[in-house]
Amino acid sequence: MSGIPKIIRGTADEANYVRNKLIEFNSRHAPNGIYEETNLCVKDETGNIIAGLNSAICWNWMEIDILWVDDEYRGCGHGKRLLEEAERIAVSKHCTFIKLNTFSFQAPEFYKKYGYREMAVIENAPLGYQHYYFIKDLTDNEENL
């Protein structure tokens, strides 16, 4: 090997390669784990996406990365429906908890309303706002979902 390897901005394919290499590494050290993306969406009558939830199941938990509802459709229950469906899927995959993060200008009160407990808050992330981390224990809810 000659010289110092160059750092570049990766493409989406390269990011997936790196993710898959980490999953491979993790599997060697914590066997019996799974990594499964679980993405949901709500479409209107013309087929346009009006809400969605992107998540991944890792070992015994689900991590919700994104829950989004179009401004025009907020307050119609789509976020609740997506969250409930994600929770049903997580329980069916034997997850014991769900974790997620949100900003103060997004939906911390929404998640609290549905049983998510605040684990941590980072102040001024972004400046003037808070970055919340939440968790929900699913072990008590299995019969309810």
Side-chain angles (χ1 to χ4, degrees):
M1 185 181 296
S2 63
I4 298 173
K6 183 178 179 183
I7 296 175
I8 62 167
R9 287 187 169 233
T11 64
D13 286 341
E14 290 164 335
N16 284 330
Y17 175 84
V18 170
R19 180 182 357 280
N20 290 335
K21 295 308 278 185
L22 179 61
I23 292 167
E24 180 184 308
F25 174 85
N26 291 347
S27 296
R28 290 194 313 265
H29 294 278
N32 303 322
I34 62 168
Y35 178 87
E36 179 182 317
E37 290 189 12
T38 305
N39 303 316
L40 307 169
C41 64
V42 178
K43 293 184 178 183
D44 68 11
E45 60 281 345
T46 60
N48 295 314
I49 297 173
I50 59 170
L53 182 146
N54 297 351
S55 68
I57 295 173
C58 309
W59 288 285
N60 62 303
W61 73 86
M62 175 182 276
E63 186 157 345
I64 296 176
D65 297 317
I66 295 171
L67 195 164
W68 166 81
V69 178
D70 185 276
D71 289 343
E72 189 177 323
Y73 293 92
R74 292 195 178 175
C76 298
H78 300 305
K80 175 185 177 188
R81 289 177 50 226
L82 286 166
L83 199 57
E84 288 174 345
E85 180 62 17
E87 290 174 8
R88 275 192 282 283
I89 292 167
V91 168
S92 77
K93 297 289 185 171
H94 309 289
C95 293
T96 57
F97 65 95
I98 295 178
K99 65 179 184 167
L100 57 85
N101 68 86
T102 189
F103 296 107
S104 55
F105 58 84
Q106 291 177 327
E109 295 307 313
F110 170 81
Y111 294 113
K112 288 177 186 177
K113 180 177 173 181
Y114 294 107
Y116 287 77
R117 181 177 48 84
E118 184 181 303
M119 291 188 308
V121 180
I122 299 173
E123 296 295 329
N124 286 315
L127 289 174
Y129 299 97
Q130 295 79 36
H131 192 163
Y132 291 89
Y133 292 84
F134 285 97
I135 189 167
K136 182 173 184 178
D137 181 2
L138 297 176
T139 58
D140 294 334
N141 299 331
E142 290 183 27
E143 65 278 351
N144 298 327
L145 296 174

